[in-house]
Amino acid sequence: MSYFAINFKYLRTLKGFSQEQMADELSITRSRVGSYEEARSEPPLDLLIKISDYYQLPIDALVKNNLTKVSDTSFINIGNHRILFPITVNEDNEDLIEIVPNKATAGYLNGYDDPEYIEQLEKIKLPFLPSGKHRTFPIKGDSMLPVRDGSYVVARYVENIQDIKHGRTYIVLTRNEGIVYKRIKADENPEMLILHSDNTNYKPYHIHKKDILELWEFTCCINTQEYDESELKISSIIQMFQELGVELEELKKIQ
């Protein structure tokens, strides 16, 4: 089933355009706009490409997916040409978050820009999240303690790499590394970034900004394992933060 007719009308109304205004934007007649919106005819390929470029949406998203289910027009560009699927909502207009499962981590590198791959991911609702497009990623290993192996990080998509807040943690997707969760710090070279692990047993390393395919800023963490009693001692927590160079005067007073 093609969703082009309802998508074409929906996108026009989001812009607040009349059919006449939309026709002027695309250099076609108003009657053709009406014909496409009522599904009485379909646009030729050259016009479909023009509409795709106008809305900065891939053709398959215009044709295969019902865009009336998204909450706004905040479509996310990846690189110069690709687009991540927009925020989706349930029947109660509540934002849904895709979950990248452990078994699909390797496949995510190949499917991150494929609407069909993203659409098949399981979804959850977390009502306390701030605005923005969120996704949930599995964490492997102990390089970012106290975030443990098997935990999930919920993170907000960063559309512009210039918006990085240095010193904060991010899910970073690159062609060579795949998915990693690291603390990002600035480098002397403005085209480079330094990825740090909070576990000091792991050395930091450099990455070129152009190698980043996706960037997601940490929002919250979902731990799937119970903590050991020793891990919850105040002294252990203080030592961990001291290793990170963080001053915690209040915790010192407690100790």
Side-chain angles (χ1 to χ4, degrees), residues 2-243:
S2 173
Y3 287 99
F4 176 78
I6 58 176
N7 288 338
F8 189 47
K9 181 177 181 179
Y10 178 64
L11 293 170
R12 173 180 65 79
T13 57
L14 283 180
K15 279 191 168 291
F17 285 173
S18 65
Q19 287 188 345
E20 188 72 40
Q21 290 172 311
M22 191 73 257
D24 290 341
E25 290 290 308
L26 298 175
S27 301
I28 59 177
T29 64
R30 188 207 60 77
S31 60
R32 286 182 70 182
V33 172
S35 177
Y36 298 148
E37 290 187 355
E38 295 164 15
R40 289 185 282 109
S41 64
E42 295 184 349
L45 181 58
D46 60 338
L47 181 57
L48 192 57
I49 293 173
K50 187 174 184 178
I51 294 170
S52 171
D53 291 340
Y54 180 81
Y55 285 110
Q56 294 185 311
L57 285 167
I59 291 176
D60 62 345
L62 287 169
V63 174
K64 292 183 179 180
N65 299 274
N66 186 351
L67 300 182
T68 64
K69 293 183 178 181
V70 304
S71 59
D72 57 27
T73 55
S74 175
F75 298 102
I76 302 171
N77 293 314
I78 299 177
N80 295 323
H81 306 290
R82 293 169 179 159
I83 174 169
L84 189 66
F85 226 61
I87 298 172
T88 55
V89 297
N90 61 15
E91 60 275 9
D92 297 320
N93 202 38
E94 297 169 314
D95 292 350
L96 296 176
I97 306 166
E98 298 96 359
I99 304 172
V100 179
N102 260 311
K103 63 181 180 180
T105 301
Y108 185 78
L109 183 58
N110 296 321
Y112 73 98
D113 60 346
D114 181 356
E116 291 187 7
Y117 170 85
I118 298 301
E119 191 173 20
Q120 73 180 357
L121 294 176
E122 294 292 330
K123 299 174 179 63
I124 59 172
K125 179 189 71 173
L126 293 175
F128 54 81
L129 293 181
S131 61
K133 173 65 178 177
H134 287 78
R135 189 161 289 164
T136 304
F137 297 88
I139 300 302
K140 297 179 181 179
D142 62 351
S143 67
M144 290 298 286
L145 293 175
V147 178
R148 307 172 75 196
D149 182 51
S151 300
Y152 282 83
V153 165
V154 181
R156 181 184 61 82
Y157 185 78
V158 179
E159 189 164 359
N160 190 334
I161 199 169
Q162 304 307 320
D163 294 335
I164 287 178
K165 301 169 185 173
H166 294 282
R168 299 286 298 273
T169 60
Y170 292 83
I171 295 288
V172 185
L173 178 69
T174 66
R175 184 66 62 188
N176 294 326
E177 297 285 336
I179 298 173
V180 297
Y181 174 50
K182 298 293 178 184
R183 191 172 301 278
I184 294 182
K185 296 185 179 180
D187 185 67
E188 293 180 358
N189 183 343
E191 297 303 315
M192 303 291 290
L193 295 170
I194 307 175
L195 301 189
H196 284 258
S197 297
D198 285 350
N199 184 338
T200 55
N201 291 326
Y202 295 84
K203 294 182 179 180
Y205 59 93
H206 292 74
I207 186 171
H208 202 289
K209 289 182 179 179
K210 67 178 178 60
D211 293 329
I212 296 177
L213 301 175
E214 280 188 353
L215 196 62
W216 301 77
E217 183 181 3
F218 175 92
T219 295
C220 67
C221 178
I222 302 172
N223 182 36
T224 59
Q225 301 178 49
E226 183 179 8
Y227 281 98
D228 295 330
E229 184 178 354
S230 60
E231 294 179 287
L232 298 177
K233 291 181 180 178
I234 292 296
S235 58
S236 298
I237 296 174
I238 291 176
Q239 181 180 359
M240 177 189 68
F241 279 105
Q242 285 176 336
E243 289 177 354

